[in-house]
Amino acid sequence: MNEVAIQLLGRFSVAVDGAPISGDAWRSRRAADVVKLLALSPDRRLHRSQVMEALWPESDPQGSGANLRKALHFARRATGDEQTIVSQQGVLVLWPDAQVDTDVERFEIAARRALAEGDPAACRAVADLYGGDLLPDDRYESWLAEPHHRLRQRYLDLLRVGTLWARLAEEDPTDEQAARSLMRAHLDAGERREAIRRFERLREALHDQLGVGPDRATISLYEEVLAVEGAPKPTEAERAHALLAWALVHMNRNEIEEAERAAEEARAIALDSGLGRELGEAAVILAKVAMAQGRWRERFAEELGESMRLRANMEPIVYDAHLCLAEYYLAAPDGYELAADFARQMMQIADEAGSATGAALATLMLGEAELLGGHLVEAEKHLKEAAEANDREGCLSGSALARQRLAEAAVINGRKFDANRLLNRARAIAVRSDLASHLMVRVFGTMIRAADEKQMLTVLRVAERELGQMRSCEPCSMGYLTSAAAACARAGDLNRARAFLTEAERIAGMWQGGLWSGAVWEARGVLRHAEGAHEQARAMYAEAAQEYTRAGNDSDAVRCTEAASQLPSHAAAE
């Protein structure tokens, strides 16, 4: 009987009777994937239909069956053993007659036992068995998502119970228990600067990955660190960070006035000290406060106008801070003329203040309002001007967004080649911006619409891989979610379409009416059409057309009306 050792944590390798199989032997990638998939399955067996669905989800049964036969051939050839994978009544079994050991199985058994006992020493020992994340070279494969998450979570649990705080903070920079424990240890050891650095790393990780701030216990400990007797006076940045953290805590508890006070104080410090990042964070919180108080437009006008008059090149910081809320405003049911008037007001202030950056951003805002209002000729003119002006001023977010909006106009006019050229440029700029999590999801939403129907799911796979590495902004995701839902529905992947649509419905439900409501109704229509429920699809297209019309978006309304008219009638269907 052969002895087979399979490594899946940190890397993929197979050894038979102690002899490693060369990486070059796996001439077919899918041959190795079949071995990996079976090695991760209970009892190392899986029905062939499940293997086909996991590895070739978009192929028809005949095509995926042929692909599987090739993969099995190359897997047996790589190992030099016809018994590597055996078919037993449609079930594929990995080395049924060999003694197979996998590092994943050993780790999981030991981890379950150590965690059940709650023994820190045992957890520390088992944590050393974790050789790295599961199959890192295949991290974006959908069939790996569940086992990858399960194993990684088990590893983090071992670090937590084993009080391996430094390793836990390295693996999960957002873990507050680990950060507090390390801060306390540094403070007790008289390493105040290290305690401050630990808080800063946590704060940035929470902000960038989750969009939240530290909790009360962590902030209180940070203030204790700053107030150590005899220590140097806290820097202006350190004071601002504490205030910003408290402002987020107050926002999360709906303590609006307290959040505003803390953010205003942090903003004042940032302005006086020239702290750009801290100014942006304060502006974001104050924008959300203003939205909650029903005075966002006034707040945005005040801040953008002030930044232009100060001539301190802070306009991009203020604009970026308000970007998502401007998206709310543009998508609202009030119509686009108000948004266009607001942009013209900003252009006048920019002209009076001699602010080229402010003028570039105001031109972009005007082009967006004209685009969404259906004035395509004027929109393309202003958006082209905005792209060039933002390039000159070095405003990355404005440059990327102007091209993404120009691509939307090109799609509406049937110029998909132009749209994709613009989107490739927008994507290259957006990924370098501080607002990548806002801009990339917008770019991919338009890329799906600009793709040929056969390529839409390919674009979606790329989008899921890249967006999976960041926390995308919810309001900025609406175009992506509805485009993805429609693309999946048209391709027959109805479960994925429903998942995307459910998320879009959740976000759109925060507002009544407007562009987003129309987009959701349209995606529902596409899904019902794919399901064969033509009467329901017709009714949903009609609802979408009404919402688009109420929002002043006539071109989208016409598209939905035409889609409804092309559906087979009930009588014809019978």
Side-chain angles (χ1 to χ4, degrees), residues 304 307-316 319 346-364 385-395 398:
L304 189 56
S307 67
M308 289 189 282
R309 294 185 185 99
L310 285 173
R311 299 174 181 269
N313 198 33
M314 294 185 300
E315 297 94 328
Y319 178 80
M346 291 299 102
M347 290 178 75
Q348 183 177 350
I349 294 174
D351 184 57
E352 293 170 355
S355 171
T357 304
L361 296 171
T363 304
L364 170 56
E385 291 176 4
E388 293 169 0
N390 278 282
D391 287 349
R392 287 194 301 271
E393 298 305 312
C395 185

Side-chain angles (χ1 to χ4, degrees), residues 174 203-214 248 251-252 284-285 288 437-438 471-472:
T174 67
R203 195 185 76 87
E204 289 186 13
L206 289 170
H207 179 272
D208 294 343
Q209 297 181 32
L210 303 178
V212 300
L248 285 172
M251 278 296 294
N252 292 336
V284 168
I285 297 169
K288 292 178 179 178
S437 61
H438 301 261
R471 180 193 59 85
S472 295

Side-chain angles (χ1 to χ4, degrees), residues 26-47:
W26 301 101
R27 298 179 61 185
S28 164
R29 173 171 166 265
R30 285 308 191 194
D33 287 346
V34 173
V35 173
K36 297 169 188 174
L37 185 58
L38 291 173
L40 288 168
S41 302
D43 299 323
R44 293 178 291 282
R45 58 179 60 223
L46 209 58
H47 196 279

Side-chain angles (χ1 to χ4, degrees), residues 134-184:
L134 180 66
L135 297 170
D137 292 340
D138 305 295
R139 69 187 67 185
Y140 299 118
E141 294 286 355
S142 59
W143 49 273
L144 270 183
E146 189 280 327
H148 174 275
H149 175 76
R150 184 185 72 243
L151 290 163
R152 181 165 175 76
Q153 190 57 54
R154 193 147 286 165
Y155 175 56
L156 296 180
D157 290 342
L158 288 167
L159 297 180
R160 191 170 291 109
V161 176
T163 64
L164 296 169
W165 302 123
R167 283 170 64 177
L168 180 55
E170 185 69 26
E171 292 290 337
D172 182 6
T174 67
D175 192 289
E176 294 208 49
Q177 185 181 9
R180 279 199 302 273
S181 298
L182 291 168
M183 286 172 66
R184 176 60 66 186

Side-chain angles (χ1 to χ4, degrees), residues 71-292:
L72 294 176
H73 167 75
F74 283 110
R76 291 164 182 148
R77 187 171 171 180
T79 61
D81 184 358
E82 286 297 314
Q83 297 302 304
T84 297
I85 302 173
V86 176
S87 181
Q88 300 175 349
Q89 297 180 327
V91 175
L92 298 179
V93 186
L94 184 65
W95 270 297
D97 298 323
Q99 181 178 329
V100 181
D101 171 80
T102 73
D103 57 353
V104 165
E105 188 174 14
R106 275 187 287 109
F107 171 75
E108 288 212 273
I109 291 171
R112 279 197 296 267
R113 184 184 303 120
L115 290 169
E117 294 171 354
D119 179 2
C123 288
R124 287 193 286 271
V126 175
D128 291 335
L129 297 177
Y130 190 79
D133 284 343
L134 180 66
L135 297 170
D137 292 340
D138 305 295
R139 69 187 67 185
Y140 299 118
E141 294 286 355
S142 59
W143 49 273
L144 270 183
E146 189 280 327
H148 174 275
H149 175 76
R150 184 185 72 243
L151 290 163
R152 181 165 175 76
Q153 190 57 54
R154 193 147 286 165
Y155 175 56
L156 296 180
D157 290 342
L158 288 167
L159 297 180
R160 191 170 291 109
V161 176
T163 64
L164 296 169
W165 302 123
R167 283 170 64 177
L168 180 55
E170 185 69 26
E171 292 290 337
D172 182 6
T174 67
D175 192 289
E176 294 208 49
Q177 185 181 9
R180 279 199 302 273
S181 298
L182 291 168
M183 286 172 66
R184 176 60 66 186
H186 287 309
L187 184 59
D188 292 345
E191 301 166 345
R192 176 176 176 272
R193 179 52 52 188
E194 285 303 314
I196 290 173
R197 289 197 187 100
R198 183 63 63 180
F199 175 82
E200 300 293 358
R201 284 196 289 269
L202 171 70
R203 195 185 76 87
E204 289 186 13
L206 289 170
H207 179 272
D208 294 343
Q209 297 181 32
L210 303 178
V212 300
D215 63 24
R216 287 173 175 268
T218 307
I219 302 169
S220 296
L221 177 56
Y222 179 58
E223 291 184 327
E224 183 182 338
V225 172
L226 294 181
V228 169
E229 187 174 352
K233 182 182 177 181
T235 67
E236 297 301 280
E238 290 165 356
R239 289 178 57 217
H241 293 167
L243 288 163
L244 290 167
W246 278 120
L248 285 172
V249 169
H250 291 310
M251 278 296 294
N252 292 336
R253 294 171 63 90
N254 204 32
E255 297 165 354
I256 301 300
E257 291 182 2
E258 291 86 344
E260 185 175 22
R261 271 196 299 273
E264 285 282 16
E265 190 175 345
R267 180 178 180 274
I269 292 171
L271 278 171
D272 290 342
S273 305
L275 303 173
R277 182 181 176 92
E278 289 74 9
L279 177 62
E281 290 183 35
V284 168
I285 297 169
L286 290 168
K288 292 178 179 178
V289 166
M291 180 66 80

Side-chain angles (χ1 to χ4, degrees), residues 403-405 407-408 411 416 419-428 430 439-453 455-460 462-463 466-467 479-480 483-484 487:
R403 288 175 171 83
Q404 183 260 319
R405 290 299 198 184
E408 286 187 26
V411 170
K416 289 193 172 182
N420 281 299
R421 177 178 54 80
L422 287 161
L423 289 165
N424 287 333
R425 177 66 175 145
R427 181 180 172 189
L439 297 170
M440 290 292 285
V441 73
R442 294 191 189 200
V443 170
F444 276 120
T446 311
M447 287 182 77
I448 293 169
R449 291 176 56 200
D452 293 332
E453 195 158 312
Q455 294 297 315
M456 283 183 174
L457 290 190
T458 301
V459 174
L460 179 57
V462 174
E466 293 199 21
L467 296 177
Y480 168 73
S483 296

Side-chain angles (χ1 to χ4, degrees), residues 324-325 327-328 442 473-479 507 511 516:
C324 326
L325 298 180
E327 182 75 358
Y328 299 160
R442 294 191 189 200
C473 165
E474 287 190 346
C476 293
S477 301
M478 282 299 298
I507 297 171
W511 295 267
W516 292 347

